[in-house]
Amino acid sequence: MTGPGETAVFRLGYVPGVTPGKWVRIWAERRPHVPLELVAATTDVAVELIRTGAVDAAVLRLPIDRVGLHTIPLYTETTVAVVPKEHVVTAAEEATVADLADEVVLRPQDDELDWPADPPGRAAAFDPATTAEAVEYVAAGVGLLVVPQSLARLHHRKDLTYRPLTDAPGSDVALAWPDAPNTELMEEFIGVVRGRTVNSSRTPRRSEGPATPAPTRKPGARRAAPRRGAHRR
C-alpha cells in the first residue's frame, strides 16, 4: 500500500512453500511501472499484515480467521510424510495415516495442517520450533514429519524422501485481502491469480452513455424544391 505522494507499489505476503514467481512475471508484464514486492511470512503473521495494511494481499494456507477478509481458494496441496530414504514407508509409492500409527511424528510449532481428529503417529517429547528444524530431526532419526508437499520440496535433503498420505487432509492455499472495496491494483492481481487475460479484467468500466439519437432536420429546414420543368405523375 502507498500513502499520498508515494510511488504505487503492490505488496504481496506469501507463506513458505508457495511459489508466486509466475504471478510476479505476469504482473511485471501488465504493470511494468508498479513494482510487486514479496513479503515472506507465516500464515498467522500474513493475516496480521493484511489487517494492518502492511501488505495488500497474501497467499496463505487455510484455515484462518476470515473476519474482515476476502478469500479466494486457489488450490489444494497433497499432504506427505517426510522420512529417511531407507524407512519402511518408502517400500510403497503411497502411504496412509494408519501406516504411521506406531511412528514418532514431529509436530513443529509452525505446522498449519488442519486435522479433523488427532494428528497421525505418536507425538515426540518436544515440538520443534519450525518445519526446517523438524526436517533436521528427521534426518537425525528422531522421528517423521507430515507436511504439505511443497514444504517437503522446499526443505529437500539427499538423505530424505517423502510419500503421499492418501487419506490425510490436504492443505488449502488461498488468496486473502481486506474486506473493503477493491482498488484497481487489487482487481488486477485477482485477475492474475485467476488466470484472466489482459482483456478480461473486472476493473469497473466507464458507464456507457445513452444511445446516439437519430439525426434530425434543423428547425425551419425545407424540402428541396423540385427542379423546374419536372412534373409529378
Side-chain angles (χ1 to χ4, degrees):
M1 291 188 170
T2 56
E6 295 181 3
T7 303
V9 60
F10 190 87
R11 294 186 175 91
L12 177 69
Y14 71 102
V15 298
V18 172
T19 52
K22 176 182 177 181
W23 301 325
V24 173
R25 289 192 298 272
I26 296 173
W27 180 272
E29 293 171 358
R30 297 187 184 181
R31 295 281 183 166
H33 302 299
V34 181
L36 192 157
E37 294 183 0
L38 294 176
V39 180
T42 63
T43 288
D44 289 343
V45 171
V47 169
E48 185 63 21
L49 292 176
I50 297 171
R51 296 192 193 284
T52 60
V55 298
D56 296 277
V59 183
L60 40 68
R61 300 184 192 279
L62 301 178
I64 60 172
D65 178 4
R66 303 194 191 196
V67 175
L69 300 177
H70 285 303
T71 58
I72 295 176
L74 299 178
Y75 56 89
T76 299
E77 280 193 67
T78 299
T79 297
V80 303
V82 179
V83 300
K85 280 195 170 180
E86 303 303 322
H87 195 277
V88 64
V89 168
T90 64
E93 292 300 315
E94 297 176 334
T96 65
V97 170
D99 293 330
L100 308 183
D102 297 327
E103 302 285 348
V104 172
V105 178
L106 298 160
R107 298 169 188 172
Q109 296 173 30
D110 61 358
D111 179 19
E112 297 176 353
L113 285 172
D114 186 28
W115 295 94
D118 293 333
R122 297 182 291 114
F126 62 97
D127 294 334
T130 65
T131 297
E133 183 180 325
V135 169
E136 298 298 322
Y137 284 118
V138 175
V142 175
L144 310 184
L145 178 64
V146 176
V147 291
Q149 183 170 299
S150 67
L151 289 181
R153 291 174 174 170
L154 177 65
H155 300 292
H156 171 71
R157 288 176 53 116
K158 292 182 179 180
D159 53 348
L160 301 181
T161 187
Y162 61 84
R163 290 292 185 270
L165 292 178
T166 58
D167 55 348
S171 176
D172 295 324
V173 176
L175 174 68
W177 71 99
D179 183 6
N182 291 343
T183 64
E184 181 183 349
L185 294 181
M186 190 66 239
E187 284 288 351
E188 185 77 66
F189 191 74
I190 292 171
V192 168
V193 299
R194 281 188 158 174
R196 297 181 197 148
T197 64
V198 68
N199 295 323
S200 61
S201 172
R202 291 190 179 181
T203 303
R205 299 179 179 179
R206 296 178 182 176
S207 57
E208 295 180 358
T212 304
T216 57
R217 287 182 296 176
K218 295 181 180 180
R222 297 181 179 180
R223 183 178 298 173
R227 289 178 298 171
R228 188 171 295 190
H231 298 282
R232 294 182 180 177
R233 294 184 178 179

